[in-house]
Amino acid sequence: MQNQDDKLKKIISHCKEYGFVFPSSEIYDGLSATYDYGPYGSELKNNLREYWWKAMTRLHENIVGIDASIFMHPTTWKASGHVDAFNDPLIDNKDSKRRYRADVLLEEYIGKLEAKNNKEVEKAKSKFGDAFDETKFRATNPNVLRNSEKIASVEQRMKQALENSDLAGLKQLIEDCEIADPETGSRNWTEVRQFNLMFSTELGSVAGDAATIYLRPETAQGIFVNFLNVQKSGRMKIPFGIAQTGKAFRNEIIARQFIFRMREFEQMEMQFFVKPGTELEWYAYWKEARIKWHMSLGMNSDNYRFHDHLKLAHYANAACDIEFNFPMGFKELEGIHSRTDFDLGAHEKFSGKKLRYFDPESNESYVPYVIETSIGLARMFLATLSSAYDEEKLEDGSERTVLRIPPALAPVKVAVLPLVNKDGLPEKAREIVKMLQLDFNLQYDAKDAIGRRYRRQDAIGTPYCITIDNDTMTDESVTLRERDSMKQERVRIEKLREIVGQRVSMHTLLQQLV
Ligand code: ATP
């Protein structure tokens, strides 16, 4: 595929055409940064959620799940810091009336300088061939050096301004870099202002009686406030974890790039409670465990990388992202954070309730430290589709679009296809559907030529097609076609459940993790 931008566009239109993702309330022209999952999309999403959930709760006897409410007591968000500090610095362009995140404008500016440097390097590489020494070139070429110095200085000033909440400093930096509105080129900017990302609403129907409450911007706080409930009711011993999946809401300003950044999205989070002093060992453990989970899906290890946070949040003592090579480039897919006792400590302070663990072995009680793993379900969905989407040229010169989704995650596992719609073949096919439908999500399709039916299944990522032909009526065998290789084998009907089951079962994924 030529161009990455192009690839994202193709994925978006494929998602719409085949019922994976639709723009929300599309008949009213949609609502920005909100999307609906269609029939195949909701299956894929369920499978991703299930794989995460099982990897957490089944494979770790010390991890249990909960399902907390979206609404929480408003003080929760005071304690967590979201009321005071969950802000984005925004700037408006007075001419175009468009609004931007000041830090994103600066990051894009830095990105452009980096791209210029990369271009210089590419140019020199093709000029000097094998003799080219990139490190030396970057350290000596005047253009590259000038850009690198500029990048370092902008990064330094931006970091300082963000850390000190110096909004005037951010504005000055935007002016010094002569950054213009990306859409219109205008440099007529307002001041930079802070904008809270939480959606608020009111509890209670009587005016005056109403209290402002928030739609949760992360699921984690539902876990923290239930820490003691879970520990006590489950008689959990430290170290232990609590897992949760559910909706979170953020009034994102820059909500572009399809389902990568939405205003309503689902998170899969796990908080692992440990003894203070052991947190960095557990942080390393969870980094490894989570990358192993990703690798088990076989979506090309080159598509993943760790990005360690240089600037840590005030409560964290280590943090990194697992980044994925999306069509828009490497971006955050999952965060792993060592959050110390910040959250439980803050909830103790604000609630006046003790949130401590009594350690029967050492006879002491303490506020546990926490390692968090947090992944966006939609981002995982997009990562899966970006790696799965393929336009393949076939030997006969034709082309097919195929989603090479890991079989255990595929929305439909098997398609049952009578070769022709007569001679008792549909009835035989229906028997097979009946036999397999409790084990697999399957689809019966008798319309159009068999080749077209195979293409339709390729396009939604179905790993196996079962074709019933005239021989089936006498030999009780069918043709089993595999999606990626398009290889066909003859298989006895009584063996189908076992053969397909082994290949599409989530066990095969989970087994790689034990
Ligand atoms: P970003 O830097 O991209 O805004 P974040 O650092 O704010 O992300 P976290 O607060 O760490 O994200 O949230 C954990 C995970 O939730 C992220 O790794 C991402 O997968 C997902 N996520 C966060 N914001 C969104 C969003 N607006 N839409 C979809 N997924 C999101």
Side-chain angles (χ1 to χ4, degrees):
M1 215 157 310
Q2 336 78 4
N3 172 324
Q4 293 296 291
D5 245 13
D6 221 33
K7 179 163 179 181
L8 184 62
K9 281 194 195 124
K10 283 180 174 170
I11 291 174
I12 296 172
S13 79
H14 192 85
C15 277
K16 170 123 197 279
E17 183 179 350
Y18 286 94
F20 281 83
V21 181
F22 307 123
S24 169
S25 24
E26 197 189 5
I27 57 166
Y28 295 105
D29 297 332
L31 179 67
S32 75
T34 46
Y35 289 90
D36 297 340
Y37 290 85
Y40 300 126
S42 48
E43 292 285 347
L44 173 58
K45 197 168 156 224
N46 283 343
N47 294 341
L48 282 164
R49 194 193 295 105
E50 183 185 341
Y51 182 44
W52 182 90
W53 185 263
K54 285 188 168 161
M56 284 294 174
T57 61
R58 290 245 182 120
L59 298 187
H60 298 93
E61 58 182 82
N62 57 351
I63 298 183
V64 289
I66 64 164
D67 185 7
S69 319
I70 286 169
F71 290 138
M72 299 181 71
H73 192 285
T75 311
T76 310
W77 306 111
K78 263 303 230 196
S80 68
H82 284 84
V83 171
D84 298 319
F86 195 48
N87 296 315
D88 274 347
L90 298 185
I91 191 163
D92 290 282
N93 187 280
K94 289 185 199 161
D95 297 328
S96 71
K97 309 275 181 261
R98 285 177 191 272
R99 178 169 289 174
Y100 298 93
R101 251 171 68 178
D103 55 330
V104 170
L105 285 178
L106 287 163
E107 267 162 15
E108 283 172 359
Y109 175 78
I110 291 169
K112 276 188 197 145
L113 291 176
E114 281 168 347
K116 268 191 191 162
N117 277 356
N118 292 341
K119 220 166 161 185
E120 294 274 359
V121 169
E122 284 309 312
K123 235 168 52 192
K125 208 185 257 172
S126 63
K127 194 164 141 197
F128 296 114
D130 286 346
F132 182 63
D133 177 346
E134 183 174 335
T135 322
K136 193 164 158 210
F137 180 80
R138 281 187 185 271
T140 51
N141 179 279
N143 289 344
V144 173
L145 277 179
R146 198 174 337 102
N147 288 337
S148 301
E149 273 163 27
K150 182 95 199 167
I151 290 170
S153 134
V154 173
E155 273 179 344
Q156 165 66 16
R157 283 179 67 189
M158 179 168 81
K159 185 168 173 244
Q160 213 167 7
L162 287 172
E163 273 173 0
N164 300 331
S165 296
D166 175 9
L167 303 181
L170 277 179
K171 164 89 186 285
Q172 191 59 49
L173 186 53
I174 286 174
E175 281 179 348
D176 292 349
C177 295
E178 301 184 347
I179 294 175
D181 182 335
E183 304 284 336
T184 63
S186 155
R187 288 198 209 135
N188 192 4
W189 296 110
T190 63
E191 297 309 308
V192 177
R193 288 168 306 121
Q194 292 285 17
F195 177 86
N196 195 285
L197 294 181
M198 281 197 294
F199 283 101
S200 62
T201 182
E202 270 154 25
L203 188 69
S205 51
V206 187
D209 193 25
T212 299
I213 57 167
Y214 300 99
L215 298 184
R216 64 182 178 195
E218 62 176 28
T219 57
Q221 299 304 324
I223 293 180
F224 290 123
V225 299
N226 277 299
F227 159 70
L228 264 194
N229 282 338
V230 174
Q231 191 271 320
K232 291 215 158 107
S233 60
R235 295 181 298 129
M236 307 299 288
K237 281 213 174 76
I238 276 192
F240 73 91
I242 305 178
Q244 173 169 230
T245 72
K247 286 269 167 103
F249 304 82
R250 295 182 188 177
N251 203 354
E252 301 276 7
I253 301 309
I254 313 292
R256 281 189 240 121
Q257 297 171 331
F258 194 36
I259 56 175
F260 181 82
R261 190 177 300 286
M262 292 186 288
R263 302 212 162 94
E264 174 181 340
F265 57 100
E266 225 170 300
Q267 289 185 314
M268 309 194 283
E269 296 198 298
M270 194 278 303
Q271 319 293 135
F272 200 70
F273 300 91
V274 305
K275 189 171 175 168
T278 65
E279 71 276 9
L280 292 180
E281 276 162 50
W282 284 111
Y283 173 70
Y285 171 90
W286 280 108
K287 269 178 85 168
E288 200 185 318
R290 291 305 302 147
I291 200 74
K292 204 167 159 192
W293 184 89
H294 288 287
M295 291 303 136
S296 71
L297 295 170
M299 292 177 358
N300 187 356
S301 55
D302 289 348
N303 279 331
Y304 295 85
R305 71 181 186 201
F306 278 112
H307 169 75
D308 290 315
H309 288 200
L310 298 176
K311 179 185 159 234
L312 292 174
H314 59 285
Y315 50 78
N317 64 3
C320 68
D321 298 332
I322 294 177
E323 293 185 338
F324 186 82
N325 191 10
F326 289 99
M328 318 76 86
F330 273 98
K331 301 241 178 231
E332 172 176 345
L333 168 62
E334 169 159 9
I336 302 170
H337 312 124
S338 173
R339 296 179 68 111
T340 69
D341 58 358
F342 172 78
D343 302 86
L344 288 180
H347 287 306
E348 266 204 340
K349 196 167 122 213
F350 278 81
S351 67
K353 309 268 166 38
K354 288 255 173 287
L355 293 175
R356 288 168 188 240
Y357 172 74
F358 177 74
D359 190 334
E361 273 154 34
S362 62
N363 246 342
E364 53 174 345
S365 92
Y366 55 79
V367 178
Y369 271 35
V370 170
I371 307 300
E372 160 182 270
T373 74
S374 174
I375 176 168
L377 183 46
R379 288 197 190 172
M380 192 57 215
F381 186 103
L382 185 57
T384 308
L385 286 188
S386 333
S387 103
Y389 185 89
D390 188 20
E391 289 169 359
E392 189 184 9
K393 279 246 176 307
L394 301 175
E395 273 169 17
D396 65 2
S398 66
E399 201 176 84
R400 68 166 181 160
T401 301
V402 51
L403 292 186
R404 301 181 194 278
I405 300 173
L409 301 179
V412 177
K413 302 291 191 251
V414 196
V416 181
L417 317 171
L419 188 59
V420 288
N421 209 2
K422 56 181 186 186
D423 302 337
L425 302 192
E427 290 74 13
K428 192 73 188 165
R430 289 281 181 202
E431 273 175 34
I432 294 176
V433 166
K434 239 186 166 151
M435 184 181 98
L436 299 178
Q437 68 185 1
L438 296 187
D439 294 280
F440 312 111
N441 187 23
L442 49 76
Q443 209 169 63
Y444 174 87
D445 187 6
K447 211 163 149 236
D448 296 330
I450 192 72
R452 290 187 68 174
R453 281 183 273 166
Y454 285 154
R455 292 290 170 275
R456 272 206 294 269
Q457 296 303 328
D458 288 342
I460 60 167
T462 307
Y464 290 100
C465 290
I466 293 172
T467 310
I468 291 89
D469 55 26
N470 282 318
D471 291 342
T472 307
M473 309 305 274
T474 50
D475 69 2
E476 285 295 308
S477 295
V478 292
T479 301
L480 187 65
R481 173 193 183 266
E482 198 270 334
R483 175 195 68 200
D484 296 345
S485 62
M486 296 187 291
K487 285 216 172 85
Q488 305 195 358
E489 56 179 322
R490 202 72 189 161
V491 167
R492 290 190 60 75
I493 292 175
E494 63 190 14
K495 286 272 181 198
L496 277 174
R497 181 185 288 125
E498 188 192 328
I499 294 175
V500 175
Q502 274 168 1
R503 299 181 193 171
V504 306
S505 153
M506 213 167 264
H507 289 197
T508 49
L509 289 182
L510 288 163
Q511 249 154 19
Q512 296 180 57
L513 305 180
V514 287

